[in-house]
Structures are given as structure tokens and as C-alpha cells.
Amino acid sequence: MVRSLTAQAAPLLTVPIDIDRGTASSEAAQELLKPEYAGETLIDRVMRGVNQFVGDLLDQESVGVVGSVAARIVLVAIVVAAAVALTMVARRTTRSGAARREGVFGDGRRTAAEHRDAAERLAAREQWAEAIRERLRAVARDLEDRVIVDSTPGRTAGELAAEAGRALPGFAADLATAARVFDDVTYGEAPGTAASYGILRDLDERLRTARPALASRAAS
């Protein structure tokens, strides 16, 4: 009788459930088909995938001691890479926002001649990036003063090239190139060069005599 009561009072043992990786992957795929995942953003999916990957790496029972050390090294590398990627995205976003805010001219207003003089002084000191910016501003101000393009505050170099290219189709390709050079040295942190400045200076000189009706002849 005592033995029977003891047997009845003995605690129940929980039997662990062992699920192989194939079954786990299948169940995870079925889980992702649920409606709550339908509106998930790409970033959320990537982060969930990274979390799943990291969780698998840190599974002590599957990787062992040596594997655990390697997993931690991989985890550190992932974290560092993610931090670098986020920093680059933040810097690009900041530069893009600055480009939209400042446009071609930034603060203040000067004449085309003043921008040209400033560009030549900077070029003489081999400050090519600054010279390139001033030369494109000379181009933009000259086109505005001659009413070839509208005077639009905050206009970007690309917008200037597109509008001027429609009015002067013979110069459209050169204007687009000049806009790219300006953006590269201003927002893309590319170094300015004498050759790049020469592109802007040559375009400025040719545009000074261009007229919308004679654009193709002037370009040639």
C-alpha cells in the first residue's frame, strides 16, 4: 500500500521534444505564411533573418565549444558590418538632404561674373572641388540672367541640367556631365581635378554665346 502511494506521489518527468532541422525549417516556413507577416517590410525581414542566423550560430548543443567561439567571431563581424552599413546610409541621407536644401547656389547671391572670378581664383590655388562648384554656379546664374532657365530657389544641379538641356538640346549631354561632376565633388566626396574643372570652364564659355534657337550650332 505504501509503495503504491509513493508511486502515485512521484513527480511526472517531462520528456524533451527533439525536432530535427528539416522539421523546424518546415514549421518556420508555415509560420511565415500567416497573415500577420504579409505587411512586413524588407528591413524587418532582413533583421528577422539575421536574428535566426545568429540564433543558429549560438546554439551550444549543435556547434560545441569550438564552434561556439567561431560563432561569436562571426557574430562580431556581422555587428561591425551592420554598424558600418548604417553609418554609410546615414551619411548618404544627410548629404542628400543637404543637396535638396541648398541646391546649386547654397546661401547668398552673386552675379555670374563674381562666380567666375571666384572659380578662377580657386583654380589658381588648385582647390578644384571649390572651383568646380563656383563655375557651375556661374553657368546657372548666367542662364537665369538670360532667361534661358527660370530662377528657381533650391534647384539642384541635375534639375538645372534637365531644364537647360530642354532649352539648349545641343548642350544637354554636356550639362548632364557638368551636373554629375558638381554632385560628385559636393555630395559624393569625390576629389576635384584640373580636368574636371576644365569641363566646367569650357562649357561655361560655350554657353555664354548660346541661344535656344542656335543651340545645336553653338555646341558644334
Side-chain angles (χ1 to χ4, degrees):
M1 181 64 177
V2 173
R3 182 181 301 172
S4 176
L5 291 174
T6 302
Q8 292 178 2
L12 297 175
L13 297 178
T14 302
V15 180
I17 299 175
D18 185 14
I19 301 177
D20 60 80
R21 288 185 177 274
T23 303
S25 299
S26 177
E27 292 183 358
Q30 292 297 323
E31 177 71 15
L32 295 178
L33 294 177
K34 293 182 178 180
E36 54 265 30
Y37 293 104
E40 198 174 34
T41 65
L42 178 60
I43 294 178
D44 291 337
R45 293 179 184 177
V46 171
M47 291 304 298
R48 180 163 45 74
V50 170
N51 290 335
Q52 178 70 35
F53 177 64
V54 171
D56 290 342
L57 284 176
L58 297 180
D59 186 354
Q60 295 287 341
E61 294 181 0
S62 61
V63 298
V65 176
V66 176
S68 178
V69 173
R72 282 171 169 77
I73 294 175
V74 173
L75 176 59
V76 170
I78 291 173
V79 171
V80 171
V84 171
L86 289 174
T87 301
M88 293 178 64
V89 170
R91 291 177 64 183
R92 289 174 182 171
T93 302
T94 300
R95 287 198 298 266
S96 178
R100 287 193 295 271
R101 270 197 315 276
E102 297 176 7
V104 171
F105 293 109
D107 298 328
R109 180 181 178 85
R110 288 193 281 182
T111 65
E114 289 172 335
H115 283 299
R116 289 189 187 101
D117 290 342
E120 289 297 296
R121 288 195 301 271
L122 291 164
R125 297 196 294 267
E126 297 187 354
Q127 295 177 252
W128 301 117
E130 292 85 352
I132 287 168
R133 285 191 283 269
E134 285 299 319
R135 201 74 193 203
L136 187 71
R137 288 164 183 160
V139 169
R141 188 66 74 201
D142 185 70
L143 291 173
E144 289 181 355
D145 290 345
R146 291 191 288 142
V147 201
I148 293 176
V149 300
D150 294 332
S151 180
T152 305
R155 175 170 43 208
T156 66
E159 292 168 344
L160 170 69
E163 184 177 351
R166 288 190 293 270
L168 302 167
F171 290 91
D174 292 335
L175 285 162
T177 299
R180 284 195 298 272
V181 171
F182 177 91
D183 287 343
D184 286 345
V185 301
T186 305
Y187 310 114
E189 299 180 356
T193 64
S196 297
Y197 178 69
I199 292 173
L200 272 293
R201 180 171 54 193
D202 176 68
L203 176 62
D204 182 26
E205 293 300 324
R206 290 187 293 122
L207 282 172
R208 292 175 69 177
T209 59
R211 296 294 183 272
L214 303 175
S216 299
R217 185 186 308 172
S220 61

